[in-house]
Amino acid sequence: MNTTKFKILSIDGGGIKGIVPCIILREIEKQTRTPISELFNLIAGTSTGGIIALGLTKPDTKKGHAFTADDMLKLYVDHGKDIFAKRQQDFLSRVGSIFSLTEDLVANNYNITGFEELLKDKFGLAHIYL
């Protein structure tokens, strides 16, 4: 009988509400005195949860991980209003969305100006697809 446990952390999306899992994960790190990346075998997330997962699992040069949960919380506190600022919709976009469910399903709810650059700067990614 194999008793090895495979621990998965899944972090939900929700825009600026990503602050909540960051606070919880920071407290877990504080209580266990262990980085979240060492407590789980797999960390994944959707939308803002994916950003947090990326930060918590990005390797640094010392064979550890570059960001703690507290670092990710600071990212949201310092840059959240810029990352998750609602984008302005012009009149035609609003009228079009009344007649098109597809547009509502694929539209960006947030202004991504500068968001890609912030992700590239913090996480060192060469290509970002939003």
Side-chain angles (χ1 to χ4, degrees):
M1 183 164 105
N2 187 354
T3 60
T4 304
K5 292 182 180 180
F6 191 83
K7 296 174 276 183
I8 300 171
L9 173 62
S10 176
I11 308 168
D12 197 11
I16 193 65
K17 291 180 277 189
I19 287 175
V20 174
C22 288
I23 291 170
I24 293 167
L25 295 171
R26 178 182 66 176
E27 187 61 26
I28 292 170
E29 285 183 339
K30 182 179 170 184
Q31 294 290 323
T32 63
R33 296 184 181 148
T34 306
I36 289 296
S37 59
E38 293 178 19
L39 296 173
F40 295 90
N41 301 96
L42 175 68
I43 301 174
T46 301
S47 189
T48 199
I51 295 169
I52 297 166
L54 177 65
L56 295 174
T57 59
K58 181 186 183 300
D60 70 4
T61 56
K62 300 171 193 151
K63 295 189 178 187
H65 289 94
F67 299 97
T68 65
D70 192 52
D71 295 329
M72 295 308 297
L73 177 60
K74 287 176 186 169
L75 176 80
Y76 278 79
V77 170
D78 294 345
H79 301 285
K81 68 179 179 182
D82 301 321
I83 296 170
F84 300 109
K86 288 284 187 187
R87 73 181 168 122
Q88 290 260 346
Q89 282 192 326
D90 61 22
F91 176 75
L92 291 176
S93 296
R94 285 184 293 212
V95 170
S97 67
I98 293 170
F99 299 106
S100 173
L101 178 61
T102 305
E103 182 179 323
D104 287 342
L105 294 174
V106 299
N108 288 326
N109 291 325
Y110 301 106
N111 182 353
I112 61 171
T113 304
F115 182 46
E116 289 176 324
E117 290 305 315
L118 176 68
L119 292 177
K120 288 177 184 178
D121 178 55
K122 294 292 181 186
F123 304 122
L125 303 173
H127 302 286
I128 305 232
Y129 303 101
L130 299 175

